[in-house]
Amino acid sequence: MINPVIAEVTRGDIVESRHRGAYAVVDRAGHVVAAEGGIAAAVYPRSAIKAFQCLPVIESGAADHFGFTDEEIALCCSSHNGEPEHVRVARSMLAKGGNAESLYECGAHWPYFEEARFALVRHGEPCAAVHNNCSGKHAGMLALARQLGADPHGYVGLDHPVQQAIAKRIGELCDIDLSQQPVGVDGCSVPTWAIPLKNLALAFARFSDPQNKAARRIIEAVRAHPFMVAGTGDFDTLIMEAVPRLFIKTGAEGVYCAAIPHAGLGIALKVDDGAARAAEVGIAAVLAGLDVWTPEEKAALERFRHHDLANWRRIEVGEVRGLRL
Amino acid sequence: MINPVIAEVTRGDIVESRHRGAYAVVDRAGHVVAAEGGIAAAVYPRSAIKAFQCLPVIESGAADHFGFTDEEIALCCSSHNGEPEHVRVARSMLAKGGNAESLYECGAHWPYFEEARFALVRHGEPCAAVHNNCSGKHAGMLALARQLGADPHGYVGLDHPVQQAIAKRIGELCDIDLSQQPVGVDGCSVPTWAIPLKNLALAFARFSDPQNKAARRIIEAVRAHPFMVAGTGDFDTLIMEAVPRLFIKTGAEGVYCAAIPHAGLGIALKVDDGAARAAEVGIAAVLAGLDVWTPEEKAALERFRHHDLANWRRIEVGEVRGLRL
């Protein structure tokens, strides 16, 4: 099956580039409410399921035991910019869990946010694991290791109790036996299991069930602190600030997962070629097309469906837009 | 027509992302020697035809009049990294042409090369137009304006004598009336005309004709200074260092154009979704598949057809590879 074009980039009067992809919108009973493309194909959700990786941190009692705040729980579900506020909260999580920064196994990279990156360079400081966009998630995983009484060393390994606890929860939510699914190593070195879009969407519908207390705590934490999930100028932060009833998370290689708790819907989208620019406008197009919003929410989502493309002199040269299918 | 998958990205045991695209290989008589996908569709070549934009700089007599060296001619055809050597050569071209940096209309951006970018930040210097990857091309255009006796102000405009002289040469080489083609504004503010891949490939075959003296001068200049065309660690520099009989240039949004002068062939490739990673391994796959190389050249091209994908801890997690179609 060849997936449809879900986003395009124009320049002048023509389309310069096209992005294909697939998505599924599923309710809590597992009914496919809307879909395009091959939703049975397994895709790596990457960071789009950080909220699921955070569930055992709460359900194991680690979050309560170490006194994690809502801000910290939000950072645990984030792909953050490495801004000073993100780094501060990650360090607080480490300290509460009794974990040293040297235990991080996510690898170091420069903060995504230019101002934060340049501030380090100006002060002659190297980038560190705490600047890694996943450092909140990893601080949560290290706390989980402590709570489980496991050796924190090697916590990113497939067979480590931390990853096994996470795999169990993802499998339950997605209604799939993860041991039978392809597994890869993510950018931050933890396992990422390939899961059909349809099952990912189902999982987010289930995640949004108000009966799911740990999930409700996560959703409320993210709703209260959307900045923690991404950062200044980032799509996920901006769209959740504009539409607080939406729960959304990006993953590398063109993935988006979302939940609409008030409507009981879960959504999963993958851009075939992995482009983030297409995933952003594409998921906005899918969301804006659902009849579950107030007119104000719908108008806000519509604004995220397209944006101007400007060149180095800030001249408008084209547009990036998600398509209504 | 739906273009075939020409490159893919794996993670673990499965393909995570796929890139579609089209390419044409054409000889000097206009025969299509090899092709895949929709080669009649018009695409913006973007920076892939900087060598064509440089032709009038030579043919007008500007290059001789201002005494441009081979290094400077190579930079005129480049999308460079903004490394100190690139900046030095661009400034030399400006000085020789009697043009101030303030005449640049390409816009400023930080050097692509991290070390050069961080060096500016460390010294508290802002980025400037001379760091723009197109600053060599624009220095050539400003020299051309002087040579034509035209006002250098507004040299990026579609109706300016500089752009009209360039359009004439592109149209001749591509065998197409550019006034009838869609035109957009490029990242550096000059016009970019949409041209079918088949015509772009033909133009590069013609460009490689040894009878074309200005083109020969450009090819020899680039061959002598492949670093000037891109920079440290960049695909175009590395592949021409490895295979000096190849002339190649990338363009934004997944474009590659190339010439193989000894075989009289021109090649043009466009990745539908605009991804550079796919264009690189994709063009290498096309080139490696042509029977015009020594075994050593073929082996070198084959090495550019795929590369490991490493994560933040430099663990190998997958591969980016151009497909043999």
Side-chain angles (χ1 to χ4, degrees):
Chain A
M1 175 176 215
I2 293 180
N3 290 330
V5 174
I6 62 167
E8 54 191 24
V9 180
T10 67
R11 182 171 299 263
D13 294 330
I14 67 169
V15 174
E16 181 167 24
S17 297
R18 290 168 180 82
H19 300 272
R20 294 178 180 275
Y23 68 84
V25 184
V26 175
D27 68 17
R28 285 180 196 139
H31 298 124
V32 176
V33 172
E36 289 283 349
I39 63 170
V43 306
Y44 290 123
R46 311 288 302 272
S47 289
I49 54 154
K50 274 177 172 160
F52 297 173
Q53 293 168 311
C54 180
L55 277 176
V57 177
I58 293 169
E59 291 166 342
S60 68
D64 285 334
H65 179 81
F66 296 115
F68 286 161
T69 63
D70 275 0
E71 210 174 34
E72 289 164 344
I73 288 170
L75 193 78
C76 196
C77 306
S78 80
S79 296
H80 65 74
N81 260 342
E83 298 178 66
E85 279 299 276
H86 300 123
V87 172
R88 175 185 65 75
V89 175
R91 286 192 168 132
S92 164
M93 291 179 76
L94 286 176
K96 286 180 177 179
N99 292 305
E101 272 186 58
S102 58
L103 286 172
Y104 265 141
E105 296 181 10
C106 51
H109 67 72
W110 292 103
Y112 286 164
F113 191 60
E114 187 175 275
E115 227 173 278
R117 193 163 60 243
F118 285 2
L120 289 178
V121 172
R122 237 177 259 120
H123 292 95
E125 288 175 36
C127 62
V130 75
H131 302 115
N132 186 307
N133 73 92
C134 302
S135 70
K137 178 178 78 174
H138 282 250
M141 287 176 173
L142 282 165
L144 178 56
R146 298 293 185 188
Q147 184 72 8
L148 298 175
D151 184 353
H153 296 95
Y155 70 93
V156 299
L158 184 58
D159 296 326
H160 190 279
V162 163
Q163 301 306 329
Q164 285 300 305
I166 287 167
K168 185 165 171 290
R169 280 309 270 134
I170 296 175
E172 287 165 3
L173 280 168
C174 292
D175 213 5
I176 200 166
D177 178 3
L178 283 196
S179 70
Q180 301 304 306
Q181 292 301 110
V183 60
V185 176
D186 211 330
C188 68
S189 295
V190 301
T192 181
W193 292 269
I195 300 168
L197 282 177
K198 187 182 158 179
N199 296 65
L200 282 169
L202 168 66
F204 273 86
R206 288 174 167 181
F207 178 79
S208 78
D209 188 335
Q211 303 300 315
N212 187 333
K213 281 184 189 163
R216 214 173 62 202
R217 187 161 165 194
I218 289 173
I219 291 169
E220 283 167 10
V222 166
R223 198 168 278 171
H225 302 281
F227 175 83
M228 280 297 138
V229 173
T232 304
D234 276 358
F235 186 90
D236 292 14
T237 294
L238 295 174
I239 199 169
M240 287 195 286
E241 281 174 354
V243 183
R245 290 204 296 170
L246 170 67
F247 181 90
I248 196 169
K249 182 70 188 68
T250 187
E253 292 292 330
V255 176
Y256 258 102
C257 289
I260 310 174
H262 73 270
L265 296 177
I267 302 120
L269 174 146
K270 159 83 181 169
V271 176
D272 290 358
D273 59 72
R277 69 179 181 185
E280 289 175 357
V281 296
I283 191 77
V286 172
L287 292 169
L290 297 173
D291 288 323
V292 299
W293 307 109
T294 65
E296 292 71 26
E297 287 172 325
K298 206 156 189 162
L301 291 168
E302 191 60 34
R303 286 196 296 277
F304 286 91
R305 194 179 62 78
H306 55 94
H307 58 81
D308 290 345
L309 196 68
N311 77 358
W312 297 118
R313 273 164 89 205
R314 310 212 174 159
I315 298 168
E316 186 196 320
V317 294
E319 185 187 45
V320 182
R321 63 188 176 212
L323 302 185
R324 280 181 250 266
L325 301 178
Chain B
M1 174 177 218
I2 293 180
N3 290 329
V5 174
I6 62 168
E8 53 191 25
V9 180
T10 67
R11 182 172 297 265
D13 295 328
I14 66 169
V15 174
E16 182 167 25
S17 296
R18 291 167 180 82
H19 300 273
R20 293 177 180 277
Y23 69 84
V25 184
V26 175
D27 68 18
R28 284 179 197 139
H31 297 124
V32 176
V33 172
E36 289 284 349
I39 65 171
V43 307
Y44 291 122
R46 311 290 300 274
S47 288
I49 54 156
K50 273 176 174 162
F52 297 173
Q53 292 167 313
C54 180
L55 278 175
V57 177
I58 293 169
E59 290 166 343
S60 68
D64 285 334
H65 179 80
F66 296 114
F68 286 160
T69 63
D70 276 0
E71 210 174 36
E72 288 163 347
I73 288 169
L75 193 79
C76 197
C77 305
S78 81
S79 298
H80 65 72
N81 261 344
E83 297 178 65
E85 279 300 276
H86 301 124
V87 172
R88 176 186 65 76
V89 175
R91 286 193 167 130
S92 165
M93 292 179 74
L94 286 176
K96 287 179 176 178
N99 292 304
E101 272 187 57
S102 59
L103 286 171
Y104 266 142
E105 297 182 9
C106 50
H109 66 72
W110 292 102
Y112 286 164
F113 191 60
E114 187 176 275
E115 225 173 279
R117 191 163 63 244
F118 286 1
L120 289 177
V121 173
R122 239 177 256 119
H123 293 95
E125 288 174 36
C127 62
V130 77
H131 302 115
N132 186 307
N133 73 92
C134 302
S135 69
K137 177 177 80 174
H138 281 252
M141 287 177 174
L142 282 164
L144 178 57
R146 298 292 185 189
Q147 184 72 5
L148 298 175
D151 183 352
H153 296 95
Y155 70 94
V156 299
L158 185 57
D159 297 326
H160 190 279
V162 163
Q163 301 306 329
Q164 285 299 304
I166 287 168
K168 186 165 170 291
R169 280 309 270 133
I170 296 175
E172 286 164 4
L173 280 168
C174 292
D175 213 5
I176 201 165
D177 179 1
L178 283 196
S179 72
Q180 300 304 306
Q181 293 300 109
V183 60
V185 176
D186 211 330
C188 67
S189 293
V190 302
T192 183
W193 292 269
I195 300 170
L197 282 178
K198 186 181 160 178
N199 296 66
L200 282 168
L202 168 66
F204 273 86
R206 289 173 165 181
F207 177 80
S208 78
D209 189 334
Q211 303 299 316
N212 188 333
K213 282 186 189 161
R216 213 172 61 201
R217 186 162 165 193
I218 288 172
I219 290 169
E220 283 166 11
V222 166
R223 200 167 279 173
H225 301 282
F227 175 82
M228 279 297 138
V229 173
T232 304
D234 275 358
F235 185 91
D236 292 15
T237 294
L238 295 175
I239 199 169
M240 287 195 286
E241 283 174 352
V243 184
R245 292 203 295 170
L246 171 67
F247 181 89
I248 197 168
K249 181 71 187 71
T250 188
E253 292 293 331
V255 176
Y256 258 101
C257 288
I260 310 175
H262 74 271
L265 296 177
I267 301 117
L269 174 145
K270 159 82 181 169
V271 176
D272 290 358
D273 59 72
R277 68 179 181 184
E280 290 176 356
V281 296
I283 191 76
V286 172
L287 292 168
L290 297 173
D291 288 324
V292 299
W293 307 108
T294 64
E296 292 72 24
E297 287 172 325
K298 206 155 187 160
L301 291 168
E302 191 60 35
R303 285 196 296 277
F304 287 90
R305 194 180 62 77
H306 55 95
H307 59 79
D308 290 345
L309 194 69
N311 77 357
W312 296 118
R313 274 164 89 204
R314 310 214 172 157
I315 298 168
E316 187 197 320
V317 293
E319 186 188 42
V320 181
R321 62 188 177 211
L323 301 187
R324 282 181 250 266
L325 300 178

